[in-house]
Amino acid sequence: MLGLRVSPRTTPFHQNAAFPKRETLENAGDDDVEKLVAENALIVIGRRGCCMSHVVKRLLLGLGVNPLVYDVDEDREEGVVQELVRINVSGVSGCGSGEKVALPAVYVGGKLFGGLDKVMSTHISGELVPILKEVGALWL
Amino acid sequence: MTELPSILPALVFMICLVRFSVPAEGKMNTTSTHFVPPRRVGIYEPLHQIGMWGENFKGNGTLNTPCPIIVPPDPKLDNSEDTSHGTAGTPHRFDQEASTSRHTDKIQRRLAQNREAARKSRLRKKAYVQQLETSRLKLIQLEQELDRARQQGFSIGGGVDAASSLSFSGSMNPGIGAFEMEYGHWVEEQNRQICELRALLHGHASDIELRMLVDNVMKHYFELFRMKSAAAKADVFYVMSGMWKTSAERFFLWIGGFRPSELLKVLLPHLDVLTEQQLLDVCNLRQSCQQAEDALSQGMEKLQQTLAESVAAGQLGEGSYVPQMTSAMERLEALVSFVNQADHLRHETLQQMYRILTTRQAARGLMALGEYFQRLRALSSSWATRQREPA
C-alpha cells in the first residue's frame, strides 16, 4: 500500500525498480556538495523528510532510475543552498544566475535541472527519459 | 320692601364693575404682554407639535403622548385669572408676573423637550429604515446566489453539509467567498463554451475559428488552476476536500481535482482516427501521466503518515505540546504545494494533449470533457432530488 509495488507500466528490464538499492547520503560536508554534483549523472538534493523530495524520488524510481539522494538536515539547509547557488553562479552547475536554489533540486549531468515542477513537465512532454538516457542515468 | 328691588340692580352693577375693572387693569399693565403671548403660544405651538408627532406615530409607536404637555398651561392661566378677581393691588400683580414668567419657562422647557424627543425619534426611525434596506439587498443577493447554485446542480437538499459548508466557508473566509463567486462564473462560462464548441463542430466551421475557441477553452481551464492556487492559500483544506464541487464530482476527487489519467480516458474514445505517431504519443502520455500521478499519491501518503505521527506524538503537557503543533503546522504547509503540483500536472497533461492532437480533434476532445463534467453535475442534482423524495 505504501507504493512499493511492481507496476506493470515500467519496462521489463526494470522489474526490480520497486525494490532498488538506493544510495542515500547524509550530512556530507558543504564542499562535498560540489563534488557530488559534478561526479554524478543524477543527484536529488532535498530536505530530510520533505514530501516533495519524496515525490521526486518515487517518480524517478518509477522510471527505472536509481537516483543518488542527498537528504539535508534542517540546520544544514542554509549552508547547502548557499553552496549550490555559488556553484551555479560560477557556471559549474548552472547558467550563472544567482537566484536561490529551491529544494528539492535535481542535478542532471552536473547541471541544475530544476525542481519537481520541471521534472513533471519534462516527463509529461516526453523529454525526461531521453535526457536521463543521455547522461547515463537510465539504460534502455 | 319696595326699597330692596331698587338697591339690587345697583349692587349688581357695582359687583360687575369690580369684577371687570381689575382684569381690565391687569390687562392694561405689563402683564398683558406676559399674558397674551403665552396663551397664543400655548394654543399654536402644542397644536403644531401634535401634527409632527402624528407623523412619527405612523412610523413607530415609541413616543410620549403630547397631551399632558398641552393641558397644564391653560388651567394655570385660568387659575391666575381667578386669583386676580379676589384681590387687588401690587402683590397680586407681582404674583401674576412671577407665575406667568415661571409658566413661560416651564412651557419653553417643555416645548424644547418635545422638539428634542421628536428629533431623536426621527433619527431612530431613519436608522431602522436603513437597516431594513441593507437587509433587503442582502436577501436579494443571497437568493441570486442560491439560484445560481441550483442551476449548477448543487445538491442542496441531499447534501446539507455541502450547502451549509459553502455558506459557512464563504462567510468565514473572504478568500474562499471570492473563489466561490468566481467559480460560479467559471462554470457559466464553461457551459457557454461547450455550446459554442458543439455549434462550431456541427456547423463545419473553419480551422482558424475552431483553433481560437480551443485556445480559449484551454485558457479557461488554466484560469481555474490559478483560482484554485489562490484559494489554497486562503484555505487548503477547502480545496483539498473539493468543497466547491458537486457530490458526484467529489466522488472522483484526487488532490483537489480530477485525475489527469481520468481526463485521458474520457477524451480518447471521442478522438476518432489517430495517426500512428499520434497513437504512440498518446500511449506515452498515458504512461507518464500515470507515473506522475502515482508519485504524487505516494508523496501524499507519506505526508499523511508523518502528520499522523506528529499529531499522535503531541503530549498534552506544557512545553511538549506546542512544538509538536508547530511541526504539524509546517507539514500542513506542504499540502498547499501538493495542490499546486497536482494542478500543474493537470495543466501539463492538457497542454501535451493539445500538442499531440489536431485542432478539430482537440475541439472534439474538449467538448467531450466539458460534457462529462456537466453530466456529473446533473447526476449530483438528480441524486439530491431523489434523496428528498419520500420513499
Side-chain angles (χ1 to χ4, degrees):
Chain A
M1 211 216 340
L2 286 178
L4 295 181
R5 53 191 154 83
V6 180
S7 80
R9 293 173 282 273
T10 54
T11 53
F13 181 79
H14 298 285
Q15 280 289 340
N16 297 322
F19 300 94
K21 123 178 104 70
R22 194 173 0 125
E23 289 176 62
T24 309
L25 294 170
E26 299 182 14
N27 298 328
D30 285 346
D31 36 325
D32 293 337
V33 171
E34 186 173 358
K35 221 170 36 150
L36 283 169
V37 166
E39 290 174 0
N40 288 287
L42 177 64
I43 178 167
V44 178
I45 303 173
R47 232 174 283 127
R48 185 188 306 284
C50 170
C51 299
M52 284 302 157
S53 176
H54 187 75
V55 173
V56 176
K57 291 177 221 166
R58 301 256 34 127
L59 180 56
L60 292 171
L61 283 172
L63 302 180
V65 177
N66 194 1
L68 184 63
V69 175
Y70 177 28
D71 279 334
V72 181
D73 271 329
E74 210 174 310
D75 43 341
R76 309 275 325 281
E77 190 180 331
E78 191 66 43
V80 169
V81 168
Q82 273 174 12
E83 181 65 15
L84 290 174
V85 172
R86 188 191 67 78
I87 59 178
N88 232 25
V89 170
S90 69
V92 168
S93 67
C95 49
S97 99
E99 61 182 70
K100 196 171 175 181
V101 176
L103 297 186
V106 179
Y107 282 79
V108 175
K111 297 273 186 246
L112 175 63
F113 186 68
L116 180 56
D117 266 15
K118 179 83 175 166
V119 173
M120 287 280 199
S121 46
T122 47
H123 185 49
I124 295 294
S125 64
E127 294 161 345
L128 185 62
V129 169
I131 290 171
L132 292 175
K133 283 188 181 163
E134 213 179 320
V135 294
L138 181 60
W139 294 282
L140 254 165
Chain B
M1 284 236 213
T2 48
E3 300 115 28
L4 277 167
S6 58
I7 294 172
L8 270 172
L11 267 174
V12 170
F13 179 68
M14 282 197 52
I15 290 163
C16 287
L17 270 176
V18 171
R19 272 185 75 94
F20 289 112
S21 65
V22 181
E25 233 184 274
K27 279 197 180 119
M28 278 196 303
N29 289 338
T30 49
T31 51
S32 63
T33 54
H34 289 288
F35 259 159
V36 179
R39 286 199 77 180
R40 217 172 271 158
V41 167
I43 291 169
Y44 290 112
E45 276 234 10
L47 280 175
H48 177 54
Q49 299 219 343
I50 289 170
M52 288 193 297
W53 288 326
E55 281 170 37
N56 289 330
F57 265 129
K58 288 178 212 148
N60 48 19
T62 58
L63 276 176
N64 305 318
T65 58
C67 301
I69 302 171
I70 299 174
V71 174
D74 290 317
K76 288 237 164 65
L77 284 169
D78 286 334
N79 285 339
S80 58
E81 224 175 289
D82 284 336
T83 51
S84 70
H85 296 322
T87 52
T90 12
H92 160 69
R93 214 167 46 226
F94 199 76
D95 269 343
Q96 265 189 344
E97 280 180 20
S99 57
T100 50
S101 62
R102 241 188 296 130
H103 295 146
T104 311
D105 281 344
K106 272 192 183 156
I107 290 160
Q108 294 291 13
R109 200 173 53 238
R110 282 252 157 70
L111 292 171
Q113 280 173 349
N114 284 357
R115 282 194 290 275
E116 192 54 38
R119 194 179 71 87
K120 281 194 182 138
S121 63
R122 276 197 299 277
L123 286 173
R124 274 201 301 272
K125 179 188 176 185
K126 195 174 172 193
Y128 180 67
V129 168
Q130 266 179 350
Q131 248 186 348
L132 281 177
E133 281 293 306
T134 48
S135 302
R136 187 174 146 267
L137 283 174
K138 185 142 194 250
L139 188 66
I140 291 172
Q141 232 180 9
L142 282 172
E143 278 177 342
Q144 279 178 347
E145 270 182 49
L146 203 63
D147 276 334
R148 213 184 296 135
R150 280 217 187 90
Q151 277 172 21
Q152 287 174 29
F154 275 95
S155 53
I156 296 195
V160 171
D161 54 347
S164 57
S165 58
L166 251 183
S167 52
F168 188 73
S169 314
S171 60
M172 295 292 279
N173 192 328
I176 297 301
F179 173 77
E180 282 175 357
M181 293 230 55
E182 270 187 295
Y183 182 70
H185 298 141
W186 188 90
V187 173
E188 280 169 15
E189 177 62 21
Q190 200 202 23
N191 291 336
R192 202 193 57 75
Q193 285 178 345
I194 293 166
C195 287
E196 222 185 301
L197 274 171
R198 203 175 292 131
L200 285 188
L201 281 170
H202 293 338
H204 309 289
S206 70
D207 260 20
I208 301 166
E209 276 181 302
L210 215 49
R211 194 192 179 84
M212 270 177 59
L213 182 55
V214 166
D215 282 345
N216 280 338
V217 175
M218 296 286 283
K219 256 186 244 159
H220 196 56
Y221 277 112
F222 300 158
E223 178 61 25
L224 180 63
F225 302 145
R226 188 201 59 76
M227 280 159 57
K228 280 168 71 184
S229 180
K233 287 197 194 92
D235 183 354
V236 71
F237 284 118
Y238 178 90
V239 177
M240 281 295 298
S241 319
M243 296 312 299
W244 74 94
K245 288 180 176 269
T246 60
S247 41
E249 283 177 290
R250 256 182 274 140
F251 179 64
F252 294 100
L253 200 71
W254 177 79
I255 311 185
F258 57 83
R259 274 182 190 275
S261 52
E262 273 298 313
L263 183 158
L264 295 176
K265 278 190 211 140
V266 167
L267 281 182
L268 288 174
H270 298 264
L271 296 180
D272 293 349
V273 184
L274 294 172
T275 65
E276 284 248 0
Q277 183 59 46
Q278 281 183 321
L279 270 170
L280 187 63
D281 287 338
V282 165
C283 255
N284 287 335
L285 179 57
R286 280 177 88 166
Q287 190 179 47
S288 23
C289 191
Q290 190 66 60
Q291 285 163 338
E293 228 177 85
D294 286 346
L296 275 173
S297 295
Q298 285 163 28
M300 278 295 286
E301 277 175 23
K302 175 151 198 254
L303 181 61
Q304 281 183 328
Q305 199 179 19
T306 48
L307 184 62
E309 281 166 11
S310 293
V311 171
Q315 289 146 33
L316 292 173
E318 285 175 3
S320 52
Y321 185 64
V322 174
Q324 295 292 352
M325 287 298 268
T326 40
S327 79
M329 298 274 274
E330 277 163 15
R331 300 223 182 276
L332 287 179
E333 291 293 326
L335 264 178
V336 180
S337 324
F338 269 100
V339 171
N340 289 334
Q341 287 299 332
D343 277 346
H344 178 68
L345 180 60
R346 291 173 189 117
H347 181 127
E348 290 302 310
T349 306
L350 279 169
Q351 194 80 287
Q352 181 67 3
M353 276 303 280
Y354 180 75
R355 279 185 218 121
I356 295 171
L357 301 173
T358 65
T359 308
R360 196 156 287 269
Q361 286 169 329
R364 233 175 266 131
L366 286 171
M367 188 177 81
L369 188 66
E371 283 177 343
Y372 176 73
F373 289 123
Q374 275 181 333
R375 270 184 238 125
L376 273 182
R377 280 182 222 122
L379 181 63
S380 302
S381 55
S382 307
W383 183 252
T385 323
R386 180 187 171 280
Q387 293 282 59
R388 259 185 270 135
E389 280 163 25

